Amino acid sequence: MAIVMAPHNITLAIGLFTACLMPPAALASDVTYVSLSYDDALPSQLTHAVPALDSFGFNASFYLVPTNPGYLNYEKEWATVAANGHELGNHSYTHPCRSSLPGRSWVDKDNDLDSISAEAMKQQIMQTNAALTGLDGQKNRTYTIPCGDILAAGEDYLPLIRDHVLAIKGRTLSSEEEVIVAPSEVSAEALISLITQQPDDVRIINVIFHGVGGDYLAVSNKAHVALLEFLAANREDYVVDTYKNIVEALNTSDAVASY
Ligand SMILES: [Zn+2]
């Protein structure tokens, strides 16, 4: 009996060993993930970005701020955006940024992250989650850091919020493997080159838009659509999805277990 079983066991062992060497890391590294995201709940995103994304069948992440007019006046529209497969992401409740950094004269005194505590930021993230769950019924969502500022009244607030969001934009993989670009006022060619010019090691490209064909820090409709056309023509190289879906796909891979 033992003689009969031995070859079978060896084959099985080799099979498992081969499986460990191949997927999922090898499969995951074949493609580059592209997260198209749209911050601040701007009306031009509803008017221009959403129809363009839907026409190509791409899902994206919209990082909403529940106190912004572009949220308060369009709650029904954002709920529909979520129902069509896009992610409603957390971008804090009032979008505080630090006033003490260069070029921040626009920061309101009442919304200054130099004086808002880390604990208060945690409350903002929880409040925003509750508001967004009311629109999309989802329990998990990702977070984009307003202005990229991580110090709240001098304290890094990110450790306090990690249990309240699925992931933080730009912090799922190492900085060599995950990049953030935030284009505005760029040509179609320049926008596409932000995708094509990335080093081979990069596995997630986060593109952060604000206005699309309107509002501020805008990218033109023409450039935005040209990028979508490029991504649609290169689906074998680039996987476009919500940041939530990308993170969940990578979390099933051993390749990111160490981050
Ligand atoms: Zn923002």
Side-chain angles (χ1 to χ4, degrees):
M1 193 65 181
I3 294 166
V4 174
M5 286 298 288
H8 174 74
N9 287 346
I10 290 167
T11 306
L12 180 64
I14 291 169
L16 285 173
F17 181 66
T18 309
C20 289
L21 284 180
M22 299 284 289
L27 282 175
S29 61
D30 285 345
V31 298
T32 303
Y33 291 97
V34 176
S35 162
L36 301 175
S37 66
Y38 303 80
D39 287 9
D40 298 357
L42 302 179
S44 69
Q45 298 165 357
L46 288 167
T47 311
H48 300 127
V50 170
L53 289 162
D54 289 348
S55 73
F56 286 95
F58 287 142
N59 288 332
S61 298
F62 292 84
Y63 291 90
L64 306 185
V65 179
T67 52
N68 278 3
Y71 178 97
L72 293 167
N73 298 327
Y74 300 95
E75 286 188 61
K76 218 193 295 175
E77 288 81 355
W78 290 119
T80 302
V81 166
N84 289 338
H86 302 288
E87 177 187 9
L88 302 186
N90 190 320
H91 198 34
S92 82
Y93 204 70
T94 66
H95 202 291
C97 293
R98 296 179 59 194
S99 67
S100 60
L101 296 179
R104 293 286 180 79
S105 54
W106 53 269
V107 174
D108 194 67
K109 192 168 152 279
D110 298 330
N111 205 25
D112 183 355
L113 198 56
D114 284 321
S115 50
I116 291 174
S117 70
E119 179 60 32
M121 279 306 280
K122 180 180 126 185
Q123 295 302 324
Q124 285 218 11
I125 275 65
M126 294 168 72
Q127 245 180 315
T128 305
N129 279 341
L132 297 180
T133 298
L135 296 187
D136 64 13
Q138 299 291 317
K139 291 208 174 85
N140 290 319
R141 64 192 78 252
T142 63
Y143 180 64
T144 291
I145 305 167
C147 296
D149 293 346
I150 62 170
L151 295 180
E155 181 188 350
D156 180 356
Y157 73 87
L158 299 186
L160 275 64
I161 71 164
R162 285 198 183 274
D163 289 346
H164 300 281
V165 293
L166 181 69
I168 298 171
K169 179 60 61 76
R171 289 166 181 258
T172 298
L173 300 181
S174 69
S175 57
E176 287 78 30
E177 294 178 302
E178 179 173 9
V179 296
I180 294 178
V181 295
S184 66
E185 311 295 344
V186 291
S187 66
E189 295 72 26
L191 187 55
I192 292 167
S193 74
L194 291 175
I195 303 294
T196 58
Q197 302 296 304
Q198 295 297 336
D200 287 346
D201 288 348
V202 172
R203 298 177 61 202
I204 305 178
I205 304 171
N206 295 296
V207 186
I208 295 183
F209 292 104
H210 289 84
V212 176
D215 296 317
Y216 53 82
L217 296 172
V219 165
S220 69
N221 271 323
K222 191 182 159 200
H224 181 253
V225 169
L227 175 64
L228 300 187
E229 280 171 349
F230 168 80
L231 292 169
N234 293 278
R235 287 181 197 262
E236 69 280 8
D237 297 322
Y238 301 104
V239 173
V240 178
D241 211 335
T242 67
Y243 193 57
K244 178 181 176 176
N245 287 346
I246 291 169
V247 169
E248 284 177 340
L250 286 169
N251 279 346
T252 63
S253 160
D254 293 336
V256 291
S258 57
Y259 294 108

